[in-house]
Amino acid sequence: MNNTFLKIHPRDNIIAALQTLASGTALDLEEGRLVLQEEIPIKHKFSTEDLEVGDAVYMYGVLVGRASKTIKKGGLISTENLVH
């Protein structure tokens, strides 16, 4: 069991950090290895894939928003780059 992040549903393309994760941290996901592009504070989310403007963002298996800016794989999800 991984205690550093939480992915709820196979469709999710963002994951919640269960502790603060440093930039450059490598995580082994079902989809493969992911390297965080920046620090991810506890309870914040990060992307599991490259997202372009308008791309759908899923959490809990449901659409929670769309990317309003380009988000790199391993990048922080915030109100600056996601529209609900």
Side-chain angles (χ1 to χ4, degrees):
M1 181 171 151
N2 186 309
N3 60 355
T4 58
F5 61 87
L6 179 63
K7 182 176 180 179
I8 303 293
H9 190 276
R11 177 185 235 180
D12 294 352
N13 58 0
I14 63 173
I15 295 178
L18 299 179
Q19 65 185 47
T20 298
L21 302 171
S23 178
T25 298
L27 303 173
D28 291 317
L29 308 176
E30 292 174 4
E31 302 88 345
R33 182 159 272 212
L34 177 141
V35 177
L36 297 176
Q37 301 300 308
E38 54 200 301
E39 180 178 277
I40 309 297
I42 188 171
K43 299 183 182 179
H44 285 71
K45 284 76 175 171
F46 57 92
S47 179
T48 63
E49 60 189 37
D50 288 333
L51 297 168
E52 298 298 329
V53 173
D55 283 353
V57 176
Y58 292 92
M59 187 161 190
Y60 313 114
V62 298
L63 179 67
V64 294
R66 296 206 175 265
S68 60
K69 295 181 180 178
T70 298
I71 306 168
K72 293 289 185 188
K73 180 178 178 179
L76 178 70
I77 301 296
S78 71
T79 57
E80 298 294 318
N81 60 18
L82 180 73
V83 174
H84 292 281

